[in-house]
Amino acid sequence: ATFFAQAHIYLRNLEKTGNYNCYIAEKSRVKIFQLFISDRDITKAEKPTGKKDIAETGLSDIAFSDITIGLLSRFKIELASKRKSSDRTIANYLMMIRTVFSQAIKDGVTEEKYYPFGKGKTSIEFPDSTKVGISIDDVMKLETVDLPIFSHDHARNLWLVSYYFAGMRVSDVLRLRWSDFKEMRLHYTMGKNNKSGSLKAPEKALAILSKYMDAKENRNDLIFPDLKVLPDLNDEFEVKRVIAQTVNRYNKILSKFVLPAAKIDSKVTMHISRHTFATLAGDKIPIQMLQKLYRHSDIKT
């Protein structure tokens, strides 16, 4: 019935459900909060301690009743002053603490009277953020630049396929199979929210896919090679781990090799392809259609 024991359960559940990205991010936040509670230097880049139990970490635990409004206020100040954390990052730490608290209340291991969040207590505020893509001129530079090295060309191809399919998440691009295409249309289920749909396949996208045709073993084969190294594609945690590493690798390739070759000064990552489509399509496509393309439940998103 202590916070970090419950946090350990929370992390273990994320791992079991294959939620790799959330697991890694939350594991780090739990560790930083535990360093703070243990009166240790939270600026140290200490890695999360594998799958050790809380008792094995050498760090302190804390009762839920001791996580007060004042303590959270001091934690926020510590994050801002020592780790130079942004308002958004601080909000993410508070969200983690709130989630573990809610789990503990639901499981009956602490009482709601100790809950330090809500009106008149600790509030979590998310700052407005602007997400901007690159210009159409930069997109054309990416399309036309000569990239003789496979990894450089492959990084560019993944970015463009994401862009051509209405800002498809690169995690979904990497999972594409030849069987997802029927009668010149792409049919796929978005990994983040399990929403299904289909899109007409643009000629430019089909031209890129044709580059990978020689490696096709059967109709159900993955189009791109990055996940073919995995022995079990049903292991969702491992798949997401490899996807995260792959995206990081190609982001570095884009920055170090592709952008200089294309003479592009803007920041470009794999995820920027999604924002680029939204930016360039915003004046041409009705907002209701954009909502459908992006498969958001709320049009405000």
Side-chain angles (χ1 to χ4, degrees), residues 1 63-65 100-101 104-114:
F64 283 96
S65 57
V100 175
F101 234 109
I105 293 170
K106 182 180 178 181
D107 291 346
V109 298
T110 192
E111 299 177 60
E112 197 159 352
K113 66 181 180 180
Y114 298 127

Side-chain angles (χ1 to χ4, degrees), residues 8-71:
H8 185 68
I9 295 171
Y10 168 57
L11 293 173
R12 193 168 65 227
N13 289 338
L14 288 176
E15 186 178 18
K16 285 180 178 179
T17 55
N19 201 336
Y20 175 81
N21 291 331
C22 189
Y23 169 79
I24 292 299
E26 293 287 69
K27 193 172 187 180
S28 176
R29 291 171 191 137
V30 169
K31 182 65 177 290
I32 295 300
F33 185 47
Q34 195 170 19
L35 285 170
F36 168 75
I37 294 298
S38 305
D39 197 24
R40 295 269 288 274
D41 186 358
I42 66 171
T43 62
K44 290 182 179 179
E46 295 190 40
K47 293 183 179 180
T49 52
K51 296 182 180 179
K52 290 183 179 179
D53 289 329
I54 295 301
E56 298 178 75
T57 64
L59 298 175
S60 303
D61 205 339
I62 188 171
F64 283 96
S65 57
D66 291 332
I67 300 179
T68 62
I69 300 170
L71 182 138

